[in-house]
């Protein structure tokens, strides 16, 4: 039977892992107030139980729990920790989950535990860093080609991690590659012009979205993606599931152009 229930409040930035450790630590404190000689603590958190049982784990809650268990053993009390399966219909576990939700959603008192987890610190630093990066990126005069695909640095950070960049995709996304305009800047080619028109510079924007030389494969991709390919839709495509097909198209054009410029 249930003879006592304790609900504890944690700060919003605390993790579920910390909540599980705190619950076990408080349970060992309550055991010290009861005269019964034998106790069992049930938890559905294998990670928390393993941390407590590992003498090398230095999490403050785990250290305090081990100290409590040691003191209880000196009092002649036997405490056994058990792992139970979560969401398996076990009455006690379901009751504990219900109380935990009530404490998280309804409790208005000050937190009983507010130690900041390392994961929160890392996430906060990353967020602030991205904000600063995005501000400098938006205000800067450089990376004009990259901004065609990623006007926002925070979006770029999220999307670039989802595909494997190759030498060809890197050239396209930066504009630093074997394109006539870029080669001409460094005096590696006499003219910046595209083969389609002497009056038009051969750069990423022209090659991908305008050059008639690649009109057929561009049209084929537009039919496949069911949308027009231009400097305005590049950002949308890069954030969608159509990204891989678009990058394949970009790589194909880049390889053809760089190979041609090597021999010209």
């Amino acid at each position: 039977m249930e003879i006592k229930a304790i609900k504890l409040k944690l700060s919003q930035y605390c993790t579920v892992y910390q909540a599980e450790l705190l619950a076990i630590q408080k349970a060992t404190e309550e055991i010290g107030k009861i005269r019964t000689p034998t106790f069992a603590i049930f938890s559905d958190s294998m990670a928390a139980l393993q941390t407590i049982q590992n003498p090398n784990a230095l999490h403050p809650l785990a250290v305090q729990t081990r100290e409590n268990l040691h003191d209880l053993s000196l009092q002649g009390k036997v405490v056994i920790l058990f792992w139970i399966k979560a969401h398996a219909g076990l009455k006690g576990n379901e009751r504990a989950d219900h109380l935990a939700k009530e404490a998280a959603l309804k409790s208005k008192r000050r937190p009983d535990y507010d130690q900041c987890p390392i994961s929160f610190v890392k996430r906060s630093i990353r967020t602030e860093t991205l904000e600063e990066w995005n501000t400098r990126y938006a205000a800067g005069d450089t990376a004009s080609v990259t901004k065609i695909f990623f006007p926002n640095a925070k979006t770029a950070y999220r999307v670039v991690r989802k595909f494997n960049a190759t030498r060809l995709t890197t050239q396209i996304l930066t504009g630093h590659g074997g394109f006539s305009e870029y080669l001409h800047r460094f005096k590696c080619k006499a003219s910046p012009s595209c083969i389609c028109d002497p009056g038009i510079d051969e750069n990423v924007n022209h090659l991908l979205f305008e050059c008639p030389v690649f009109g057929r494969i561009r049209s084929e991709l537009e039919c496949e993606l069911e949308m027009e390919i231009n400097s305005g839709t590049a950002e949308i495509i890069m954030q969608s599931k159509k990204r891989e097909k678009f990058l394949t198209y970009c790589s194909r054009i880049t390889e053809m152009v760089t190979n041609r410029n090597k021999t010209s």
Side-chain angles (χ1 to χ4, degrees), residues 173-220:
L173 296 177
T174 62
H176 299 171
F179 314 113
S180 295
E181 183 185 67
Y182 184 76
L183 295 173
H184 178 70
R185 281 174 54 195
F186 296 96
K187 303 186 183 339
C188 296
K189 193 173 181 184
S191 171
S193 300
C194 180
I195 60 171
C196 71
D197 188 333
I200 297 178
D201 290 349
E202 181 185 87
N203 52 42
V204 170
N205 190 74
H206 172 69
L207 290 169
L208 294 185
F209 312 125
E210 301 168 356
C211 185
V213 175
F214 305 108
R216 182 179 59 80
I217 59 175
R218 185 183 306 115
S219 178
E220 290 175 353

Side-chain angles (χ1 to χ4, degrees), residues 5 78 210 230 251:
V78 178
E210 301 168 356
N230 54 50
S251 298

Side-chain angles (χ1 to χ4, degrees), residues 167-172 175-180 182-183 189 195 202 204 207 214 250-264:
R167 63 180 180 83
L168 296 174
T169 55
T170 300
Q171 289 180 60
I172 279 289
H176 299 171
F179 314 113
S180 295
Y182 184 76
L183 295 173
K189 193 173 181 184
I195 60 171
E202 181 185 87
V204 170
L207 290 169
F214 305 108
C250 294
S251 298
R252 181 180 176 186
I253 291 178
T254 304
E255 187 167 30
M256 293 169 66
V257 171
T258 53
N259 287 338
R260 184 184 69 217
N261 286 334
K262 283 179 183 179
T263 58
S264 62

